[in-house]
């Protein structure tokens, strides 16, 4: 677990005791997307080969990593870089996604102390997938981008979730993996933030104007500070 230079565990516990809501991202926060990403890369390389672009899987992986380290959007920008005609990129598939270990037990524990919600860029089947994962029951407010035509990093999706929950920004903590989509917009609204350093998002540098308040390596570590 990594705390910011001004933070310590006791301080965070004091802050959290005054907060009412914890809002979560989904991808690379609660859900392990590594197998889905591997499948996506395979399909991108295959489609590029049909367009006359012969690159290896490692080339594409390196491209994703480079964009992530630069603070960009790896999925969109890597495809745009390699695709000669800016053709439609392969669709992301949720079929190979799975929960990170201990997510169910962590949510159960947190739900005893706080009200839980979701703010995520996800497709219209979000509630169904949460039910399939066995975690739907833990969330009182679920705001998925496709259902409301609002997409992070637009702060409007955060404002909508706050309105639905009846929580104010200073009563809320946002937990996510990406600096651009998660940490920056939440901080702009005055929410506290916890960055989960998983997936491609872990390689992005912190934003100097809107740094995360705390950092953890996985959701299990939330229980050490909440």
């Amino acid at each position: 677990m990594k705390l910011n230079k001004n933070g310590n565990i006791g301080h965070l516990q004091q802050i959290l005791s005054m907060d009412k809501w914890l809002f979560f991202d989904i991808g690379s926060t609660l859900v392990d997307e590594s197998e889905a990403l591997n499948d996506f890369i395979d399909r991108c390389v295959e489609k590029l080969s049909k367009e006359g672009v012969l690159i290896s899987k490692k080339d594409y992986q390196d491209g994703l990593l480079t964009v992530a380290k630069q603070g960009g959007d790896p999925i969109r920008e890597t495809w745009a870089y390699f695709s000669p005609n800016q053709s439609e990129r392969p669709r992301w598939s949720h079929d190979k996604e799975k929960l990170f270990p201990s997510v169910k037990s962590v949510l159960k524990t947190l739900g005893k102390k706080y009200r839980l919600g979701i703010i995520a860029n996800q497709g219209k089947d979000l509630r169904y997938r949460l039910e399939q994962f066995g975690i739907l029951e833990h969330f009182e407010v679920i705001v998925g981008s496709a259902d409301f035509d609002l997409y992070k990093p637009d702060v409007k999706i955060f404002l909508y979730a706050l309105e639905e929950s009846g929580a104010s920004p200073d009563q809320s903590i946002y937990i996510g993996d990406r600096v651009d989509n998660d940490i920056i917009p939440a901080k702009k609204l005055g929410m506290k933030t916890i960055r989960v350093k998983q997936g491609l998002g872990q390689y992005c540098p912190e934003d100097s104007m809107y740094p995360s308040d705390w950092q953890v390596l996985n959701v299990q570590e939330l229980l050490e500070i909440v």
Side-chain angles (χ1 to χ4, degrees):
M1 175 178 60
K2 183 179 179 181
L3 300 176
N4 68 2
K5 63 181 180 180
N6 296 318
N8 56 67
I9 292 177
H11 181 50
L12 181 54
Q13 289 175 330
Q14 181 181 11
I15 291 174
L16 286 172
S17 68
M18 297 183 290
D19 286 309
K20 184 177 181 181
W21 282 86
L22 303 180
F23 290 98
F24 288 84
D25 179 40
I26 296 291
S28 294
T29 299
L30 300 179
V31 171
D32 183 351
E33 298 179 318
S34 57
E35 291 187 20
L37 178 61
N38 187 62
D39 172 71
F40 174 76
I41 293 171
D42 284 339
R43 289 185 286 114
C44 286
V45 171
E46 181 181 3
K47 185 170 183 180
L48 286 170
S49 70
K50 294 177 181 179
E51 297 180 0
V53 180
L54 301 179
I55 63 170
S56 68
K57 184 173 184 176
K58 186 179 185 303
D59 290 334
Y60 206 91
Q61 290 171 326
D62 289 345
L64 290 167
L65 186 58
T66 297
V67 175
K69 288 180 176 180
Q70 293 173 347
D73 186 321
I75 299 299
R76 290 183 175 84
E77 293 182 29
T78 303
W79 177 258
Y81 176 81
F82 283 116
S83 179
N85 303 315
Q86 298 299 289
S87 61
E88 184 177 1
R89 71 177 182 273
R91 295 179 63 85
W92 181 272
S93 172
H94 299 290
D95 292 344
K96 296 186 178 182
E97 295 178 345
K98 59 185 178 181
L99 289 181
F100 281 112
S102 76
V103 164
K104 289 184 179 180
S105 60
V106 168
L107 292 176
K108 183 177 181 180
T109 299
L110 293 177
K112 295 176 181 178
K113 299 173 64 176
Y114 310 104
R115 302 175 72 179
L116 309 182
I118 285 176
I119 306 172
N121 285 352
Q122 293 285 320
K124 290 183 178 296
D125 61 347
L126 177 56
R127 284 182 174 271
Y128 171 76
R129 285 189 290 112
L130 292 176
E131 184 175 23
Q132 294 300 108
F133 284 134
I135 59 174
L136 177 63
E137 63 181 334
H138 297 296
F139 301 103
E140 295 183 54
V141 170
I142 298 172
V143 179
S145 56
D147 293 321
F148 300 94
D149 198 28
L150 294 170
Y151 297 84
K152 297 184 301 182
D154 190 338
V155 296
K156 291 179 182 177
I157 192 171
F158 291 84
L159 290 171
Y160 185 88
L162 291 170
E163 182 178 355
E164 287 292 295
S165 65
S168 62
D170 61 2
Q171 291 177 302
S172 308
I173 292 175
Y174 191 73
I175 301 165
D177 65 299
R178 285 183 55 167
V179 171
D180 54 349
N181 278 355
D182 301 329
I183 304 304
I184 293 176
K187 292 283 289 185
K188 283 181 177 179
L189 292 176
M191 301 172 74
K192 299 176 187 70
T193 59
I194 300 176
R195 182 181 176 188
V196 184
K197 301 197 74 174
Q198 298 179 141
L200 288 170
Q202 68 183 289
Y203 301 106
C204 180
E206 286 277 298
D207 185 85
S208 59
M209 291 185 63
Y210 300 102
S212 56
D213 295 295
W214 292 273
Q215 299 176 22
V216 295
L217 298 179
N218 51 64
V219 293
Q220 178 66 37
E221 289 191 351
L222 294 174
L223 299 184
E224 300 177 19
I225 58 177
V226 178

